[in-house]
Amino acid sequence: MKRWVVALAVFGVAGCGTPVAGRAVPGELPAAPDTGVVRWVNNFCAVADYMIASGGVQFDPPTGDPAQAKKAVSESLGRVVDVLNVVLHDLDELTPAPEPAADTAVEVIREPLGRARDEFAKAKSTVDGAPELTVEVYSSAIQDMTEAVAVMNDAVEKMGVVSLPDDYRDAAGHAENCA
């Protein structure tokens, strides 16, 4: 008899329910990303954004007044070195990351960018150390710049191979600098 009373009570309560609009929620909601990971990814994307925004340095072949040409080349090289100094500093600020795999990703990118910065600085030093911008001096600087660009291309290739942990990739959707 008790079973019938319980069964009737259950059916009675179920029959009194009112329909609710909406869709059923899946059994498990995705976890919110760790705020430390989102902050790290946001800063990482900010470094990339800065590099992209600063990438418009142009090197025109020197013409006209040798002193003006030397000054223009030196200033252009100086801007590139300054940008790379900022990028390297900001990459250093990303370590230690919340996960060691992210530190590895930063180092894989940082190392070739550091070498590129050194090559650009060497080209600037060559230009600044010369009494005037001769063909030989300019050729030497171009050779250093070519090496720097090759090393930067190496960094870009390595970025394509580096993979961050899944939670870092997921956090990119929550980081405003990654939009």
Side-chain angles (χ1 to χ4, degrees), residues 70 123 126-142:
K70 178 181 173 182
T126 298
V127 170
D128 291 346
E132 62 182 33
L133 188 62
T134 63
V135 172
E136 293 80 20
V137 170
Y138 187 68
S139 294
S140 178
I142 290 294

Side-chain angles (χ1 to χ4, degrees), residues 50 54 56-59 69-88 116-128 141 145 148:
Y50 177 74
S54 302
V57 177
Q58 195 172 8
F59 293 97
K70 178 181 173 182
K71 181 178 185 257
V73 170
S74 176
E75 287 174 353
S76 292
L77 288 167
R79 283 190 295 277
V80 172
V81 170
D82 289 345
V83 165
L84 289 172
N85 281 335
V86 169
V87 167
L88 292 169
R117 187 254 340 257
D118 294 346
E119 289 296 325
F120 280 117
K122 182 178 167 189
K124 182 176 179 357
S125 178
T126 298
V127 170
D128 291 346
M145 290 169 27

Side-chain angles (χ1 to χ4, degrees), residues 33 37 41 99 101 163-172:
V37 171
V41 170
E99 278 188 47
S163 66
L164 291 170
D166 290 341
D167 54 336
Y168 281 65
R169 287 191 300 263
D170 295 342

Side-chain angles (χ1 to χ4, degrees), residues 17 34 48 98 105 108-109 139 161 164 168 174:
D34 179 299
V108 163
I109 297 164
S139 294
V161 175
L164 291 170
Y168 281 65
H174 300 277

Side-chain angles (χ1 to χ4, degrees), residues 35-112:
T35 56
V37 171
V38 172
R39 187 178 316 108
W40 189 94
V41 170
N42 192 53
N43 291 338
F44 185 81
C45 288
V47 172
D49 288 347
Y50 177 74
M51 281 185 64
I52 291 166
S54 302
V57 177
Q58 195 172 8
F59 293 97
D60 295 323
T63 58
D65 180 20
Q68 283 293 68
K70 178 181 173 182
K71 181 178 185 257
V73 170
S74 176
E75 287 174 353
S76 292
L77 288 167
R79 283 190 295 277
V80 172
V81 170
D82 289 345
V83 165
L84 289 172
N85 281 335
V86 169
V87 167
L88 292 169
H89 170 269
D90 289 352
L91 286 172
D92 285 342
E93 292 294 313
L94 290 173
T95 58
E99 278 188 47
D103 287 338
T104 302
V106 168
E107 186 54 36
V108 163
I109 297 164
R110 190 200 180 298
E111 190 272 329

